[in-house]
Amino acid sequence: MAKIPNNYRFTKRWVKEALVNEGLLDKIYKNNELDDATNAKIKTALDKLKAMDKYQ
């Protein structure tokens, strides 16, 4: 099982790519694009990714 951090800034690139490939996010965000609304969207996407059997 891969460890997926809660903070998007410290998330590995392959996790960010998986979020986009699974359709959970529309793009890979840069650090300067992160605001409260985007962080909430990312947290929801990370929670959904963690729940997928494929990423257990």
Side-chain angles (χ1 to χ4, degrees):
M1 177 159 88
K3 174 135 174 62
I4 300 175
N6 291 326
N7 189 326
Y8 188 75
R9 289 177 196 256
F10 301 112
T11 303
K12 297 284 187 195
R13 179 136 187 106
W14 73 265
V15 175
K16 293 176 182 179
E17 289 172 353
L19 289 168
V20 173
N21 290 337
E22 294 295 337
L24 300 173
L25 291 178
D26 51 341
K27 67 175 191 166
I28 295 175
Y29 292 93
K30 296 177 183 169
N31 288 341
N32 64 348
E33 297 175 314
L34 301 177
D35 57 18
D36 290 340
T38 304
N39 282 328
K41 184 173 159 182
I42 290 168
K43 178 158 180 23
T44 301
L46 282 171
D47 290 341
K48 288 180 182 177
L49 187 73
K50 289 178 190 178
M52 291 181 175
D53 289 339
K54 185 177 179 180
Y55 298 102
Q56 293 295 317

